[in-house]
Every structure is written in C-alpha cells, then in structure tokens.
C-alpha cells in the first residue's frame, strides 16, 4: 500500500487538533521505521507533472489536495 504524500501532509496538519490523526501518524512512522514491506510512503519522484496552476494550493486547498492525490494514482496506474 502506498500512502500518498498529500495524505501524510494532511494528517500532519490535523495532528494538533485530532488525537486520531496523531495516532495514525505515529503508527505510520513506526511502520515505515520497521520497514513494513506492505506499506510505504510515496516517493518524491513518483508523480506525474501536471499543468495545473501551481499556486492553486493558495486559492483552493481542497482542490489542490485532490489533484495531488489524483497525480499519485495516475503515476501508479501508468
């Protein structure tokens, strides 16, 4: 299972407000540290460069996150 970077970033932002998000981040970090062969984070080079507005995150964070998630999925689909 590949955890998209945008998911990890979003959880990281939520961890200050949400106990569940903190628990998930801790669990993921522990799994990554252990070297779980069934789970890993998306690497920086595992994306398709799209032509969407790079400042979209300033205008519409949710839409930007959706594009980031779709970008990760498209990379692995190819």
């Amino acid at each position: 299972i590949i955890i998209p970077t945008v998911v990890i970033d979003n959880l990281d932002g939520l961890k200050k407000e949400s106990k569940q998000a903190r628990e998930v981040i801790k669990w993921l970090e522990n799994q990554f540290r252990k070297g779980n062969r069934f789970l890993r984070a998306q690497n920086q080079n595992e994306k398709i460069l799209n032509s969407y507005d790079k400042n979209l995150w300033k205008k519409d964070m949710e839409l930007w996150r959706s594009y980031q998630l779709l970008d990760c999925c498209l990379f692995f689909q190819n």
Side-chain angles (χ1 to χ4, degrees):
I1 298 173
I2 298 164
I3 310 298
T5 303
V6 68
V7 171
I8 295 170
D9 291 345
N10 198 28
L11 282 169
D12 195 44
L14 292 172
K15 72 181 179 185
K16 295 175 186 171
E17 305 165 4
S18 168
K19 180 181 178 183
Q20 291 88 0
R22 278 191 304 276
E23 290 173 2
V24 170
I25 287 288
K26 285 179 185 178
W27 185 83
L28 285 172
E29 287 174 347
N30 189 33
Q31 295 303 305
F32 296 153
R33 197 175 312 112
K34 285 182 180 179
N36 182 331
R37 68 185 186 124
F38 299 107
L39 182 73
R40 71 174 181 86
Q42 175 188 9
N43 292 324
Q44 287 183 349
N45 65 332
E46 295 176 331
K47 59 185 174 180
I48 297 172
L49 300 176
N50 288 319
S51 60
Y52 56 86
D53 182 2
K54 299 300 179 189
N55 291 319
L56 181 61
W57 66 274
K58 293 178 185 177
K59 300 173 189 170
D60 189 339
M61 180 62 80
E62 289 304 313
L63 183 57
W64 181 81
R65 286 180 179 147
S66 296
Y67 280 152
Q68 295 297 307
L69 187 57
L70 181 60
D71 190 55
C72 177
C73 294
L74 287 172
F75 176 86
F76 288 102
Q77 179 206 12
N78 290 334

